[in-house]
Amino acid sequence: MSRIVVTGGTGYIGSHTVVELIQSGFDITIIDNLSNSEIEVLSGIERITGVRPDFENIDCTDYMNLDKMLEKYTDIEGIIHFAASKSVGESVQNPLLYYHNNISSLINLLELMPKHNIRHIVFSSSCTVYGQPDHMPVNENAPIKPALSPYGNTKQICEEIIRDTIHATPQINATILRYFNPIGAHPTALIGELPNGIPNNLLPFITQTAAGLRSELRVFGNDYDTPDGSCIRDYIYVVDLAKAHVAALQHMLAGKKNGQLDYYNLGTGRGLSVLEILDMFQKVNDVKVPYKIVERREGDIEQVWADSSKANKELNWKADTPLEDILRSCWQWELHLKERREQAQAQ
Ligand code: UD1
């Protein structure tokens, strides 16, 4: 068996990936400082898979403890690095927090990998690196545009750090995954996204409005140059995204070369507008989501969707879950959270 270390493994995408890794036969150690997740996520993972992964409460910016922890294991084959701060707005308010967290964590891991004989790393990046692309769908060769936020900049800088490190230290291989817009929750509704405070992202805001926690959704702009005037994104099911990590890892483990660096866009190839998503969500779940059109949100790009044919071909992976099922999973997870709140109140 081979062991994979998953940093940020109790987070949204991390937890779904841990489930898929366990179900593919990997031993897992999660490293997370629980700054934006809950320890109960481990129970959700255990209920789904029957396995409770090893857990280490460590901040990846803490070199000494990271080093000590990695020393304990002799069977680590790879790292999937999710642990990072990810709120665009917060990064504008507190850029140093973002530069410090996101960049030092990666540097620590890259420094420690050769020391502990760990050969493979998968890095969570974002389609944000492309800004507003000139051609659609966007493929991996599209130019990297100036970042619109410190958060976006950390993703670009981390990608550069990885590229330079692989060049200088070819015993390490890396795969950089550029996510489009991950949505949905595990079909069991035992794990999902736990937004901290008022959600910034579209789907959690929609589900919270449908659940009555928010009075109305604000649709940011209907005067874009798109068929219905609202922005277009490529919404990818989090479980499909999680499976892409397993595929990427297996691809690396099977590879013979050293110093390999690959980039993959992970999306569905289908662009949907805010109003289309909203309409479908209400239809498939038979719920109402009050909304109003407001001003454009600063920093939003008009439209972006992925050309994921490289991942389809090389990783033998495809995001193919029907949108209706994805939107149902969003609502089922919100209902699960509602139940949890009611149980907590009753106690
Ligand atoms: C955002 C970040 C992106 C990051 C990703 C992480 C920005 C500019 N981009 O992507 O860098 O990687 O989150 O998940 O913040 N919308 C509304 N009303 C809402 C919320 C969203 O109309 O209350 C619209 C937005 O204008 C956008 C779409 O829904 O058109 C998706 O928004 P969101 O879920 O925040 O994702 P991105 O902005 O694409």
Side-chain angles (χ1 to χ4, degrees):
M1 282 268 255
S2 56
R3 178 170 301 275
I4 305 300
V5 166
V6 183
T7 76
T10 50
Y12 174 44
I13 307 171
S15 57
H16 288 82
T17 301
V18 168
V19 164
E20 297 303 319
L21 287 165
I22 292 173
Q23 290 177 339
S24 302
F26 289 99
D27 284 333
I28 302 299
T29 299
I30 291 176
I31 301 181
D32 205 302
N33 66 357
L34 300 175
S35 60
N36 194 21
S37 61
E38 294 176 0
I39 193 73
E40 286 73 38
V41 171
L42 295 179
S43 309
I45 294 171
E46 187 176 6
R47 282 182 63 191
I48 297 169
T49 63
V51 176
R52 194 174 182 88
D54 289 358
F55 175 77
E56 303 276 351
N57 188 338
I58 293 173
D59 189 317
C60 292
T61 61
D62 178 351
Y63 183 93
M64 299 283 278
N65 275 320
L66 206 52
D67 189 20
K68 252 194 255 165
M69 181 250 131
L70 294 173
E71 194 67 53
K72 284 202 302 199
Y73 298 93
T74 51
D75 57 346
I76 301 172
E77 290 216 67
I79 296 176
I80 304 188
H81 181 40
F82 292 103
S85 304
K86 62 164 187 183
S87 160
V88 174
E90 188 186 40
S91 80
V92 175
Q93 300 301 318
N94 197 348
L96 292 180
L97 175 78
Y98 275 65
Y99 287 116
H100 178 67
N101 277 352
N102 294 6
I103 294 170
S104 344
S105 299
L106 175 69
I107 293 175
N108 285 345
L109 291 169
L110 291 172
E111 277 185 1
L112 287 166
M113 283 174 70
K115 181 171 178 202
H116 295 280
N117 220 0
I118 304 170
R119 291 189 50 230
H120 307 288
I121 184 163
V122 177
F123 178 70
S124 295
S125 190
S126 164
C127 69
T128 191
V129 300
Y130 300 119
Q132 176 61 67
D134 303 323
H135 304 287
M136 221 64 76
V138 57
N139 69 27
E140 292 81 357
N141 298 322
I144 303 300
K145 297 275 178 77
L148 292 170
S149 68
Y151 159 77
N153 206 19
T154 65
K155 292 295 173 194
Q156 296 192 1
I157 294 169
C158 285
E159 287 200 4
E160 287 170 3
I161 290 173
I162 292 172
R163 190 195 58 207
D164 293 346
T165 306
I166 304 294
H167 181 74
T169 319
Q171 65 263 45
I172 300 178
N173 303 300
T175 300
I176 291 175
L177 301 179
R178 293 177 177 152
Y179 312 152
F180 283 66
N181 287 58
I183 61 167
H186 197 267
T188 57
L190 290 168
I191 54 170
E193 189 169 7
L194 290 168
N196 201 349
I198 301 173
N200 293 312
N201 294 116
L202 180 62
L203 262 300
F205 210 105
I206 289 181
T207 57
Q208 289 196 3
T209 308
L213 294 171
R214 314 268 158 219
S215 57
E216 62 186 1
L217 169 76
R218 293 180 307 149
V219 173
F220 298 131
N222 69 346
D223 55 353
Y224 286 98
D225 188 14
T226 59
D228 65 22
S230 63
C231 291
I232 293 178
R233 297 286 184 274
D234 185 335
Y235 295 93
I236 173 171
Y237 185 34
V238 67
V239 175
D240 288 333
L241 187 60
K243 288 180 176 158
H245 290 75
V246 180
L249 197 65
Q250 281 167 337
H251 185 70
M252 292 175 97
L253 293 172
K256 297 276 175 282
K257 280 195 275 181
N258 283 330
Q260 185 81 15
L261 173 60
D262 287 308
Y263 299 83
Y264 294 104
N265 281 350
L266 300 179
T268 64
R270 168 196 57 200
L272 286 167
S273 76
V274 175
L275 293 172
E276 280 174 319
I277 280 275
L278 184 58
D279 183 50
M280 267 199 210
F281 178 86
Q282 297 182 95
K283 277 196 188 122
V284 300
N285 294 306
D286 197 19
V287 288
K288 281 235 78 61
V289 180
Y291 74 94
K292 70 169 179 215
I293 310 283
V294 300
E295 290 292 289
R296 293 180 176 195
R297 180 173 69 177
E298 205 188 318
D300 263 344
I301 55 162
E302 183 173 275
Q303 45 188 313
V304 64
W305 66 94
D307 175 349
S308 291
S309 49
K310 185 168 177 236
N312 299 159
K313 209 165 100 207
E314 293 181 13
L315 302 180
N316 195 18
W317 164 91
K318 201 168 178 2
D320 53 9
T321 306
L323 187 64
E324 288 78 5
D325 294 353
I326 306 174
L327 294 176
R328 274 187 211 107
S329 80
C330 296
W331 183 230
Q332 288 310 310
W333 173 243
E334 189 63 54
L335 292 176
H336 168 83
L337 291 176
K338 188 166 174 236
E339 214 171 278
R340 271 185 14 187
R341 279 192 303 273
E342 284 165 1
Q343 277 168 4
Q345 269 167 6
Q347 276 167 13

